[in-house]
Amino acid sequence: MRARGFAGKVAVVTGAGSGIGRALAMELAHAEARVAISDVNADGLAETQRQLTAVGAEVLSDSLDVADRDAFLDYADRVAEHFGSVNQIYNNAGIAFFGDVEITRFDEFERVMNIDFWGVVNGTKAFLPHLIASGDGHVVNVSSAFGLFALPGQAAYNSAKFAVRGFTEALRQEMVLAKRPVKVTAVYPGGTKTSFIDSMGVAEHLGEVDLVSRYDKRAWTTSPERAAQVILRAVRRDQPRILIGPDTKILDLLVRLTGSAYQRVVPPMAARFVPPPAY
Ligand SMILES: NC(=O)c1ccc[n+]([C@@H]2O[C@H](COP(=O)([O-])OP(=O)(O)OC[C@H]3O[C@@H](n4cnc5c(N)ncnc54)[C@H](O)[C@@H]3O)[C@@H](O)[C@H]2O)c1
């Protein structure tokens, strides 16, 4: 079933060269939206463009690093000029990272924040004037189940994704108070079958650690296509937040039921993901 309510809208998707971003772009195209896609991965982006063109979508494709604020500001103006207006931005691009606070260098921490948090802020602020001008705007920011609860080894990623949550929830309330024609939705995916974990960064201090094989892929229950469908339904319904996958829903419940006590329950469960300390 195709999403309704998107025909003719201009939608911007970052990190569209893979996974959830590609699935979002395809789902938007099937719903007859016009799409602007971007990524740092040229090959992945070209493949998304090919798939979009094959289904007859109107598409604008650009190389964009979401951490590059000036480039993002220029890009927003170019997209608006190209299509005449912009209705929706899906701030989706992100990276995974593993490393305990003790051994993660400042620059490694900053890289995660620059992409996973500042990338979202850059995209939101660059496009907000255009979304307001459209008279029918929507900001969709992708956080994570790890934006709802914290795990050992995930301090950098947790920080970025918790920050996306706070930023997005505040923005939604501001738009309502200021009577701006812009809706705001925060997205919390759980384990989704993409290349996300395969391309995960690891604190250099840990050396050559095969973390990827330690992750139990059975927990990756949601397909990117399903995630995209759930996100578009939430956008159409103007939901403030959307939890994707049974794992996210269970973990959200655990945190809300136990308060801070989840921090005693989670570490033993997470232990199998944590490599033997090399420090
Ligand atoms: N897959 C999961 O299990 C999962 C779970 C929770 C949250 N998420 C979030 O979903 C979003 C999409 O992830 P995915 O699962 O599709 O992963 P993915 O790795 O398949 O796709 C992410 C895309 O972002 C791009 N990207 C990385 N750095 C970038 C940058 N600086 N500028 C522009 N593009 C950049 C990558 O090239 C890639 O194409 C991310 O924000 C991620 O944190 C994913």
Side-chain angles (χ1 to χ4, degrees), residues 10-14 72 75 86-92 119-120 122-128 131 137-141 185:
V10 175
V12 177
V13 184
T14 68
F72 221 146
Y75 173 68
V86 186
N87 299 103
Q88 304 180 343
I89 175 146
Y90 295 80
N91 285 305
N92 162 76
V120 170
N122 292 341
T124 302
K125 278 188 64 70
F127 276 95
L128 202 50
L131 303 183
H138 207 127
V139 175
V140 184
N141 290 339
T185 298

Side-chain angles (χ1 to χ4, degrees), residues 261-273:
Y262 86 87
Q263 293 171 43
R264 285 200 302 271
V265 182
V266 168
M269 293 195 299
R272 65 182 168 170
F273 299 142

Side-chain angles (χ1 to χ4, degrees), residues 18-20 39 64-66 92-93 144 157 161 189-190 192 194-196:
S18 172
I20 298 172
D39 205 293
L64 175 73
D65 178 350
V66 296
N92 162 76
S144 165
Y157 188 73
K161 294 298 187 177
T192 310
T194 69
S195 56
F196 192 60

